[in-house]
Amino acid sequence: MRFCFKLCVFTLTGTLSLFISLVTREYLVASYLRYRSLNNPAAQRINAMENYQNEDYPELPPSVSDTECPPHPLSNLPRPPILATDDDILPSNNNHHHAKGAIVYLLEFIDRPLKENHREMMKFNKSLWHLWENFSQDYPHYPVYLFHEPAFTKKYRDRYSKTWPPELKIHYHEIEFRNIPSSFSNGASLENLGLNPTNRRAFPGYNNMIRFFWKDIMDLDIIVQLDYFWRLDHDSVLQSRVGVDVFHYMMKRQLKYGYRTVTTDVRHVTNGMLAFFDQYRRDPQHQSVTNGTSCAVMSQRNCLEIPETQQERNEYFPLMYYNNFEMVHVPTWRSKQMRHLTDMVDGTDMIYWNRWGDAPLRYYSINMMLDVQKEVMEWCHIRYFHHKQFEPLCNLESISYHHNPISIS
Ligand SMILES: Nc1nc2c(ncn2[C@@H]2O[C@H](COP(=O)(O)OP(=O)(O)O)[C@@H](O)[C@H]2O)c(=O)[nH]1
Ligand SMILES: [Mg+2]
């Protein structure tokens, strides 16, 4: 009996000590991981972004009433038709003034096994044929600018171009990406620097691509000469006839930005971004592109939502113009006000430290820089594919020669 009792006490004590040591170990590991996740160069930069008090800035001006706000960008409700006149639809001829525009792609043909490049080139081939079928054959004077790194040599250009629509006006532009920010050059591994796994996977190529579309492209000679560029990704597919000269349409109406759809981004590549933009818009020095209108006033006019507290921001999915399809008015992006914001974002190096993407950056910058209802165009009539299917949410209607509009999409 006494033996049994001793055995039970012994077993119980043993189990309890094992349990306690396991829990302690778990706790220590979790504390260490937490310490590491908060005390690395990337996390310190994110914390610095979040570390501002909105009470240090003047109150935001009152927002417009709900009925005056633009429709919610994520709404899937049908939109009013896009109304196009003859001169918007007909291909321009020499007598007819048309916008200076170009379609731009950046090709990921880089120093890596040819098989991997080839897979992306096959997607690009499909993208080009759909562009030709659904837009360029109707408006052939707009060239296609292909930006590429040095690895896409003449040998490959000649080889691949044989498979592309022969009448497309393709211009090649070789680019070399600038060096990554000097703060990365201390030899530490990306993991130890605190980069998230998504960021580590394609670092720094993907980040270079983001900075290219965010900033560098706006200074290239061939871009500076344009009114608009229309960016498509190598894996963008226009699936229905565009039916309108999108460049001319936007120019005639003084539109500054065109997009196909809005969606949400994930949080781990947007840490600190909402805090950055909230701080930016609250600073009374910061002006929108419209002279005399501050970013604070413009963002309230657009009913731009940025949660007030850090905790709310951490639980919020930032919005983004899905800018694998976007039309950019070049002079607007070269204006003093836009450039100030662009440079400030670039100066944070968060495109590298957290993989801030140009898509959410476009959304928040546009919503404090432009009057969305007057200057931003949703090309909702186009059936579009990029990673997933986007069905049209509106029709294109011709209002020329006909008393009643006719649908042409
Ligand atoms: N030259 C070059 N282009 C890139 C690189 N990474 C992405 N791109 C291009 O940038 C665009 C966006 O990249 P993609 O892989 O489609 O990203 P996703 O749309 O976010 O899935 C594509 O047209 C790619 O060809 C890179 O490292 N180098
Ligand atoms: Mg893509």
Side-chain angles (χ1 to χ4, degrees):
M1 185 70 180
R2 183 176 289 178
F3 174 73
C4 271
F5 179 71
K6 274 188 178 166
L7 189 66
C8 282
V9 171
F10 183 71
T11 318
L12 265 178
T13 321
T15 316
L16 200 64
S17 344
L18 187 68
F19 179 72
I20 290 174
S21 53
L22 279 178
V23 169
T24 313
R25 188 176 164 278
E26 285 295 299
Y27 176 77
L28 288 175
V29 169
S31 307
Y32 173 68
L33 290 180
R34 197 175 138 70
Y35 171 82
R36 271 202 44 184
S37 73
L38 295 174
N39 287 282
N40 58 58
Q44 282 156 5
R45 281 171 168 79
I46 294 165
N47 288 340
M49 294 268 130
E50 289 288 353
N51 196 8
Y52 80 102
Q53 305 297 326
N54 47 27
E55 302 92 61
D56 293 346
Y57 294 91
E59 282 242 331
L60 284 173
S63 183
V64 296
S65 71
D66 284 357
T67 51
E68 290 170 283
C69 286
H72 194 279
L74 293 177
S75 152
N76 266 338
L77 294 174
R79 292 14 180 180
I82 296 174
L83 302 176
T85 57
D86 258 2
D87 62 315
D88 299 323
I89 292 167
L90 297 174
S92 66
N93 51 46
N94 289 337
N95 308 323
H96 175 207
H97 173 74
H98 62 81
K100 285 185 258 99
I103 296 131
V104 309
Y105 284 95
L106 174 64
L107 285 187
E108 191 181 1
F109 193 101
I110 54 180
D111 289 318
R112 60 177 175 184
L114 185 57
K115 204 169 140 202
E116 288 173 37
N117 283 331
H118 187 67
R119 194 183 54 218
E120 302 308 320
M121 292 308 286
M122 289 299 95
K123 293 183 198 162
F124 179 55
N125 190 299
K126 181 173 176 188
S127 180
L128 276 187
W129 276 101
H130 279 78
L131 172 69
W132 171 255
E133 295 277 330
N134 287 318
F135 181 75
S136 295
Q137 67 165 322
D138 297 330
Y139 308 102
H141 51 278
Y142 294 115
V144 176
Y145 291 171
L146 280 196
F147 293 101
H148 64 86
E149 295 186 57
F152 193 52
T153 57
K154 184 165 183 321
K155 177 174 96 176
Y156 292 113
R157 295 202 294 265
D158 290 347
R159 193 178 287 177
Y160 280 106
S161 62
K162 289 200 174 69
T163 65
W164 299 338
E167 287 156 83
L168 260 186
K169 292 193 177 68
I170 306 251
H171 299 203
Y172 301 96
H173 298 286
E174 184 174 304
I175 50 159
E176 266 186 277
F177 287 129
R178 283 193 280 141
N179 290 334
I180 60 171
S182 54
S183 44
F184 281 92
S185 56
N186 63 7
S189 78
L190 296 182
E191 189 170 5
N192 286 341
L193 289 173
L195 267 61
N196 59 63
T198 311
N199 194 355
R200 292 203 297 271
R201 204 177 313 132
F203 187 95
Y206 197 87
N207 313 68
N208 287 335
M209 173 278 288
I210 294 169
R211 181 156 71 176
F212 176 72
F213 282 116
W214 176 247
K215 180 169 157 64
D216 294 345
I217 191 171
M218 309 299 172
D219 290 326
L220 298 178
D221 285 345
I222 39 147
I223 294 292
V224 172
Q225 296 161 23
L226 299 176
D227 297 311
Y228 294 92
F229 68 79
W230 179 5
R231 171 195 171 178
L232 291 172
D233 264 13
H234 75 296
D235 51 351
S236 295
V237 186
L238 300 177
Q239 295 186 314
S240 65
R241 200 78 172 232
V242 174
V244 54
D245 179 342
V246 285
F247 295 102
H248 176 80
Y249 184 100
M250 290 198 39
M251 177 99 153
K252 200 168 91 181
R253 293 161 182 81
Q254 302 188 343
L255 295 163
K256 305 298 190 314
Y257 188 72
Y259 67 96
R260 174 59 190 80
T261 195
V262 171
T263 156
T264 53
D265 204 355
V266 285
R267 291 194 283 257
H268 65 279
V269 293
T270 47
N271 294 126
M273 189 191 285
L274 293 176
F276 172 90
F277 278 105
D278 196 34
Q279 200 173 2
Y280 192 93
R281 71 168 165 171
R282 284 171 188 273
D283 186 330
Q285 305 288 318
H286 293 156
Q287 293 296 304
S288 78
V289 173
T290 303
N291 276 338
T293 305
S294 68
C295 290
V297 168
M298 196 56 101
S299 74
Q300 292 292 71
R301 190 179 294 171
N302 291 326
C303 308
L304 177 65
E305 189 180 65
I306 301 185
E308 290 258 325
T309 66
Q310 181 172 356
Q311 187 177 343
E312 287 167 335
R313 287 193 291 273
N314 288 343
E315 290 163 5
Y316 185 87
F317 286 95
L319 298 177
M320 56 181 182
Y321 288 122
Y322 202 45
N323 73 334
N324 39 73
F325 175 129
E326 68 174 350
M327 294 196 62
V328 172
H329 181 241
V330 176
T332 296
W333 261 261
R334 291 178 54 76
S335 69
K336 193 164 130 247
Q337 300 92 319
M338 190 66 96
R339 200 177 269 278
H340 184 268
L341 172 57
T342 309
D343 288 347
M344 258 188 85
V345 169
D346 192 50
T348 66
D349 289 338
M350 292 300 277
I351 289 176
Y352 290 87
W353 282 104
N354 194 239
R355 214 232 66 183
W356 282 6
D358 48 319
L361 289 174
R362 278 275 195 276
Y363 186 82
Y364 288 95
S365 53
I366 285 170
N367 274 270
M368 51 189 68
M369 283 291 169
L370 299 176
D371 186 331
V372 168
Q373 298 194 76
K374 292 195 185 131
E375 298 177 304
V376 177
M377 169 83 195
E378 181 185 16
W379 288 107
C380 46
H381 72 295
I382 302 170
R383 204 160 172 262
Y384 179 63
F385 188 92
H386 179 273
H387 293 318
K388 65 176 208 161
Q389 185 71 53
F390 296 93
E391 294 298 339
L393 290 172
C394 67
N395 289 325
L396 177 71
E397 286 180 2
S398 164
I399 51 171
S400 315
Y401 302 139
H402 300 271
H403 196 59
N404 295 320
I406 53 157
S407 177
I408 52 175
S409 63

